[in-house]
Every structure is written in C-alpha cells, then in structure tokens.
Amino acid sequence: MAQIQIKPKNILEPSEKVLLMYEAVHSFMLEKRDISTIKVVDITSSAGIGKGTAYEYFSS
C-alpha cells in the first residue's frame, strides 16, 4: 500500500526576499548591534533589496 504525504495547506514558505531580510537582522545581532537602533533601510541595504520591498512583506 502506497503512503500518502499530506502537506498542510495553510503553511507558506517565506520568499527569498524575506529570508534575505531575516539573514540581515541575524547578522546585525551577531555583530551585537542594538536591535532598537536598526532601521528598515539598514536591513534592506544589507539584504540587497529596496526599502519599499520590506513594506510589501511587513506592515510595520
């Protein structure tokens, strides 16, 4: 009897741009930067994407 694999429909995989932003924040944390001083432009610049792109994925 064949096994059926069920993948939940409500779980979305993050886009490449979202992963790049998370990696940028992670690198800032490894550098021990104060997280409260990091700006969206810092994250997007480090991720190599436009500032407006961040707001397409995160509302705040």
Side-chain angles (χ1 to χ4, degrees), residues 12-31:
L12 301 176
E13 293 184 26
S15 74
E16 181 181 351
K17 292 178 182 179
V18 168
L19 291 175
L20 289 170
M21 287 187 277
Y22 278 119
E23 288 173 4
V25 172
H26 183 247
S27 69
F28 292 143
M29 293 172 70
L30 290 175
E31 294 170 5

Side-chain angles (χ1 to χ4, degrees), residues 44-59:
T44 55
S45 293
S46 180
I49 59 177
K51 180 180 172 184
T53 303
Y55 295 106
E56 291 177 20
Y57 295 98
F58 300 97
S59 61

Side-chain angles (χ1 to χ4, degrees), residues 1-9:
M1 180 176 238
Q3 287 187 336
I4 299 173
Q5 292 182 339
I6 300 173
K7 185 174 184 180
K9 292 181 181 180

